[in-house]
């Protein structure tokens, strides 16, 4: 009986705490995306417009872990089959965060554009506590035509 109560308590705690952390992170992402909206980002291999001298590879990585509630739901969905949306939001948050980190690193170094941006992800951890590792990289440059 104590095991069941402890398990339910941990699942509820994971749901409450995980939801709060996720909402706060999503608000932070939105705010930072608005702040970086004018930064030129493209996945084209060549620079947009004319690039001035001096380009640099910028790399950022993020590891985001799941909470107990999402892991519990994933196990249930795994039994019945279907789409695990909670893990999709985990990956989406990771991709957005990694992309923003690349932009912020480039801006801190004085660049105003990122070309050939790429994002890759991998699952790390176990099914008990899955985590997503997201790696983003791109070529930072200064636009010669930028005013």
């Amino acid at each position: 009986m104590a095991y069941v109560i402890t398990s339910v308590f941990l699942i509820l705690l994971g749901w409450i705490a995980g939801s709060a952390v996720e909402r706060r992170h999503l608000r932070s992402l939105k705010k930072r995306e608005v702040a970086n909206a004018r930064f030129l980002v493209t996945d084209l291999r060549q620079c947009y417009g004319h690039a001035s001298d001096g380009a640099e590879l910028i790399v950022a990585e993020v590891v985001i872990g799941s909470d107990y509630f999402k892991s519990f739901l994933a196990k249930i969905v795994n039994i019945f089959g279907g789409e695990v949306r909670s893990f999709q939001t985990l990956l989406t948050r990771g991709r957005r965060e990694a992309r923003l980190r690349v932009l912020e690193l480039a801006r801190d170094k004085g660049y105003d554009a990122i070309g050939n941006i790429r994002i890759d992800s991998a699952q790390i951890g176990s099914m008990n506590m899955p985590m997503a590792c997201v790696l983003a990289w791109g070529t930072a440059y200064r636009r010669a035509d930028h005013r």
Side-chain angles (χ1 to χ4, degrees):
M1 183 68 172
Y3 177 76
V4 172
I5 292 172
T6 303
S7 297
V8 169
F9 173 75
L10 288 176
I11 290 169
L12 287 176
L13 182 64
W15 177 53
I16 292 167
S19 296
V21 168
E22 184 176 42
R23 281 193 305 272
R24 184 175 54 225
H25 188 225
L26 288 171
R27 281 193 305 269
S28 168
L29 288 172
K30 186 163 181 90
K31 182 179 176 183
R32 290 166 50 209
E33 285 170 344
V34 168
N36 289 306
R38 296 188 53 105
F39 201 92
L40 178 64
V41 180
T42 180
D43 62 350
L44 298 174
R45 291 179 186 256
Q46 296 180 342
C47 299
Y48 177 80
H50 300 332
S52 64
D53 292 335
E56 183 179 348
L57 177 67
I58 305 290
V59 180
E61 107 181 280
V62 176
V63 175
I64 295 184
S66 179
D67 55 49
Y68 285 114
F69 186 70
K70 286 182 182 179
S71 298
F72 176 74
L73 285 180
K75 288 176 185 177
I76 291 175
V77 170
N78 223 6
I79 292 169
F80 298 106
E83 192 174 1
V84 184
R85 290 191 187 110
S86 59
F87 287 167
Q88 286 179 337
T89 60
L90 192 75
L91 275 173
T92 300
R93 284 175 45 216
R95 285 187 202 109
R96 288 172 66 188
E97 179 68 37
R99 181 180 177 274
L100 281 170
R101 287 188 185 183
V102 167
L103 295 180
E104 291 163 351
L105 285 169
R107 177 163 285 159
D108 290 346
K109 293 183 177 195
Y111 298 105
D112 59 4
I114 296 279
N116 198 25
I117 192 164
R118 299 289 183 251
I119 298 175
D120 196 9
S121 61
Q123 178 186 342
I124 59 176
S126 65
M127 190 58 186
N128 292 334
M129 191 51 66
M131 295 178 273
C133 178
V134 181
L135 181 68
W137 67 95
T139 305
Y141 62 95
R142 288 175 196 86
R143 289 182 284 166
D145 59 348
H146 185 67
R147 293 179 176 78

